[in-house]
Amino acid sequence: ETTPILSAQAIHQGDYRTIFNTYEKIKSYCKENNYTIVSNPYEIYITDPAFTPNTEDWQTRIIYEIE
């Protein structure tokens, strides 16, 4: 059984070297909309670099729990 949570999420498209920008956009969204981030973020890798050699096609979902 899982408990529903409120979260702020985004999908980062591209190389992991630029993923910091996506994190910052989520944080800015939360600040502008008066949400508080209550946990460390986690990532879900949508594509696997072993099977997707083009870095422009990589996708990673970034999730922050908020309140």
Side-chain angles (χ1 to χ4, degrees), residues 19-67:
I19 203 166
F20 178 77
N21 298 331
T22 305
Y23 279 101
E24 290 303 306
K25 287 179 182 179
I26 298 170
K27 289 177 188 178
S28 292
Y29 170 84
C30 290
K31 185 175 183 177
E32 291 168 10
N33 291 280
N34 297 314
Y35 289 112
T36 302
I37 294 172
V38 296
S39 67
N40 290 324
Y42 56 96
E43 300 175 351
I44 298 173
Y45 302 102
I46 298 169
T47 55
D48 183 342
F51 298 106
T52 311
N54 185 352
T55 60
E56 292 179 14
D57 295 332
W58 292 358
Q59 293 184 336
T60 307
R61 181 180 299 273
I62 301 168
I63 303 166
Y64 279 98
E65 185 177 340
I66 60 175
E67 57 183 21

